[in-house]
Every structure is written in C-alpha cells, then in structure tokens.
Amino acid sequence: MADRVLDDESLHREHLVISLSGAHAYGFPSHDSDLDLKAIHIAPTAALLGLQPRHVPAERLEVLEGVEVDYSSNELQPVLLGILQGNGNYIERVLGAITVRALPELETLRPRVRAVLSRRIHRHYRGFAQGQLREWEKSGFRSVKKLLYVLRTTLTGTHALRTGEVETDVTVLLEPYGFGEARALVERKRSGERIELTDALSEQWQREVTRAFAVLEAADAASVLPLEPQPADVAALEGWMLDVRRQRFGA
C-alpha cells in the first residue's frame, strides 16, 4: 500500500530519500499503527532559478486497506538549512529512520550531515520532547504510546549529543541510559495504539520522565558535539548541494 502512494508521488517529484518514521522507526509498532513516510525531494534546478522559485513541501494523508498512510516531503535546500540549525526531524530523515527508497547520492550526503551535527540539536529534542509531554498530559498521563514518544525523543537527543550518532529505535537506547523498565511499556504498546497505563504505572513514569529530561540536559553539558557547525563542514555540505543542483539543471 505504501508503494502505491510512493509510486504516485514519485511522478511529481524526485525523492532523494523516503524514510519510514513514527512507531515503526521508534521500535514500538502495533497492528494498528499508521505508515508515517517522511521524504526529501530535489526540485529541478531550473525551476529554482526562475522568476518565482519555490521550495514547495508536499503532503498526503489517506487510508488504504484500513491503514492510514501519512506522506510528507520537503525540498532539499530548506532541509539542509534545518539540519544546520539542529532540526532533528530532518536529521533523522537522512541518518536515523528506516530508509524505504533512496538515490545513490544519499550515501555521499550522510557523512556530510554527520560532520555538521552540533549541540544545536539539544534545543530541538528538548522542545520536541516537551511537546510530546504535553500530549501525554492531555491523555491524563495514561497513553502508553504518548509516554514512549517522550522517552524516544529525550533518549534519541541524549544519544546524539553523547555519541554523535542518531538512533531512533528506543529499544536500543533504554538500557544504556537507565530506562530498562520501559521495555515492558514497549511490549504493551505493540498490542495496540490505545493501550493505557494503570494508576501506579502512570505515577511511576511521571517521575521517570522528569529523570529522562535530566538525562538529556546532562548529555548537552557533556556533549561530544561542537556548539555549532564548523565553517569548513558547512562549506562541504553546500558544495555537495551545488553539485546536485548542477547535475539537474536541465531536468
């Protein structure tokens, strides 16, 4: 069903990469999880040099065979700018999510993106996690899914800050950062999107979430990443983009 959507959207734009995000990439999919497809596309260079150049994002949401397919794609240039600013959403499309389709150029882009990672990602992951925390609160601190999103976001940010590596699968991150008990939550979530916590578990994990944010803050203070991208690495990333644009000038 995903192929049907992607084949159709690929008629309209050239995708550098299409990644499977959401619960599938985060390590806790269930039978009723939707398919969250995040893409980066490359606009024809001539179209970007015209009188009205536009970096137009694309979105599509539909239900196929009972499964919600949520597709979105952003043009290459704003994505790379976002990566320089520490946007984890865009960074994960290149480095962290499950790759569904990709051009060969993705392999030459990845080391350049790793080179420009900086502590700017802390602001993104902290803000993203705070947003997920508010969503969990709206559920009365009951939703297992929304709790796991908070943990996933804080721990992905923690791991990136401490190691320079992007890992979106929370099951890989739980034990290394002291949240092994959450494996039971992952198993509960895999049985359905709407699974809820008991009162006791809700109270326990409200305390643990506070600790997850503290772990993220400590990772920022001890990060292996530079405060901001280095000029030479930014120039290399821009050079890569310009080469891609030159190759597609007449497309």
Side-chain angles (χ1 to χ4, degrees):
M1 69 191 73
D3 284 338
R4 190 187 317 171
V5 171
L6 298 181
D7 288 345
D8 185 25
E9 294 301 324
S10 294
L11 296 175
H12 303 286
R13 62 196 62 85
E14 182 183 26
H15 294 109
L16 170 67
V17 61
I18 302 169
S19 297
L20 180 60
S21 186
H24 292 87
Y26 302 161
F28 45 82
S30 54
H31 65 91
D32 51 350
S33 293
D34 64 0
L35 293 178
D36 192 5
L37 301 166
K38 302 290 188 183
I40 302 170
H41 63 269
I42 306 171
T45 305
L48 299 175
L49 299 175
L51 291 175
Q52 295 180 313
R54 299 177 65 193
H55 302 281
V56 182
E59 295 183 350
R60 177 172 176 173
L61 178 66
E62 62 182 285
V63 178
L64 298 172
E65 300 176 20
V67 177
E68 185 175 273
V69 180
D70 187 355
Y71 160 93
S72 62
S73 185
N74 296 83
E75 211 282 321
L76 178 64
Q77 188 260 2
V79 166
L80 295 184
L81 278 179
I83 286 172
L84 290 174
Q85 294 160 0
N87 187 314
N89 179 19
Y90 292 152
I91 292 168
E92 289 176 13
R93 295 189 198 190
V94 177
L95 299 178
I98 299 170
T99 301
V100 178
R101 298 184 184 183
L103 294 178
E105 287 92 335
L106 179 65
E107 289 307 311
T108 58
L109 173 61
R110 281 174 167 160
R112 289 168 173 81
V113 169
R114 291 189 185 98
V116 298
L117 294 182
S118 72
R119 286 173 61 182
R120 290 176 178 176
I121 66 173
H122 171 255
R123 179 179 179 183
H124 169 88
Y125 281 105
R126 181 183 61 191
F128 191 8
Q130 288 170 339
Q132 295 300 323
L133 178 58
R134 288 191 291 272
E135 291 300 312
W136 186 41
E137 183 179 8
K138 289 178 184 177
S139 78
F141 297 109
R142 290 285 189 167
S143 169
V144 173
K145 174 184 175 179
K146 294 183 186 302
L147 166 58
L148 286 173
Y149 266 73
V150 179
L151 293 176
R152 196 293 293 188
T153 308
T154 53
L155 295 183
T156 293
T158 294
H159 190 68
L161 287 161
R162 286 198 173 273
T163 70
E165 297 295 326
V166 178
E167 177 58 69
T168 63
D169 187 340
V170 74
T171 66
V172 176
L173 302 172
L174 293 175
E175 278 83 6
Y177 295 103
F179 293 89
E181 286 189 61
R183 282 205 169 269
L185 300 178
V186 171
E187 293 307 313
R188 290 170 67 91
K189 165 59 180 66
R190 285 173 175 164
S191 65
E193 290 281 296
R194 300 184 183 278
I195 298 299
E196 293 191 343
L197 299 162
T198 63
D199 289 342
L201 284 174
S202 177
E203 291 178 9
Q204 173 189 345
W205 283 101
Q206 287 178 62
R207 295 190 297 271
E208 289 295 280
V209 159
T210 299
R211 184 166 65 88
F213 277 92
V215 167
L216 178 61
E217 295 305 309
D220 181 44
S223 180
V224 300
L225 298 176
L227 283 172
E228 57 187 29
Q230 301 303 298
D233 295 323
V234 175
L237 181 65
E238 183 177 41
W240 178 91
M241 184 186 72
L242 292 174
D243 285 342
V244 167
R245 297 296 197 206
R246 292 187 189 100
Q247 293 165 14
R248 288 162 174 77
F249 180 76

